């Protein structure tokens, strides 16, 4: 049997606001954007040339879900964006006004820096020692 994780749900305030952040600031591409109902869409985004695992942008549907926007993991790093061009990506993200929580650092596993998305979810940008 072959299994893999296809999508990870990211609860957002607004579909278009989230799409603008991921496509314009992180340069992700829209994989799918379909209307399920007037209030609900199926919106998938992923880094360019990386469609194995996508983010499913899901608009919060109630007050309970709204409470978790920006803090889906209780303050821990939520998502890990791997790259083989760390310094180029880091500089481009800085130019796009991505909020970094620290300066880049070298770890035994590679070069890493923590940043926040538009809602405050924490991400690692990582260039592992071997991709």
């Amino acid at each position: 049997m072959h299994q893999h994780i296809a999508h990870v749900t990211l609860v957002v305030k607004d579909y278009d606001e989230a799409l603008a952040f991921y496509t314009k600031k992180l340069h992700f591409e829209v994989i799918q954007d379909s209307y399920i109902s007037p209030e609900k869409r199926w919106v998938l985004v992923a880094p360019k040339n990386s469609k194995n695992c996508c983010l499913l942008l899901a608009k919060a549907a109630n007050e309970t879900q709204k409470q978790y926007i920006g803090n889906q993991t209780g303050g821990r790093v939520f998502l890990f964006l791997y790259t083989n061009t760390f310094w180029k990506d880091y500089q481009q993200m800085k130019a796009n006004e991505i909020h970094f929580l620290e300066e880049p650092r070298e770890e035994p596993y590679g070069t890493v820096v923590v940043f926040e998305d538009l809602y405050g979810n924490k991400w690692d940008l990582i260039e592992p020692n071997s991709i």
Side-chain angles (χ1 to χ4, degrees), residues 13-38:
K13 289 179 187 173
D14 178 82
Y15 290 114
D16 294 324
E17 173 184 65
L19 268 171
F21 175 84
Y22 284 100
T23 59
K24 291 182 171 58
K25 296 217 176 214
L26 292 184
H27 301 288
F28 283 23
E29 53 188 358
V30 177
I31 306 303
Q32 188 173 352
D33 185 358
S34 304
Y35 283 84
I36 296 172
S37 72

Side-chain angles (χ1 to χ4, degrees), residues 69-88:
I69 294 171
N71 191 21
Q72 295 193 186
T73 58
R76 294 188 60 106
V77 170
F78 177 43
L79 297 163
F80 301 81
L81 182 59
Y82 275 39
T83 182
N84 63 354
T85 56
F86 180 90
W87 292 105
K88 176 184 175 207

Side-chain angles (χ1 to χ4, degrees), residues 46-57:
K48 290 186 181 190
N49 303 314
S50 174
K51 297 174 182 84
N52 293 334
C53 185
C54 301
L55 287 181
L56 172 63
L57 304 179

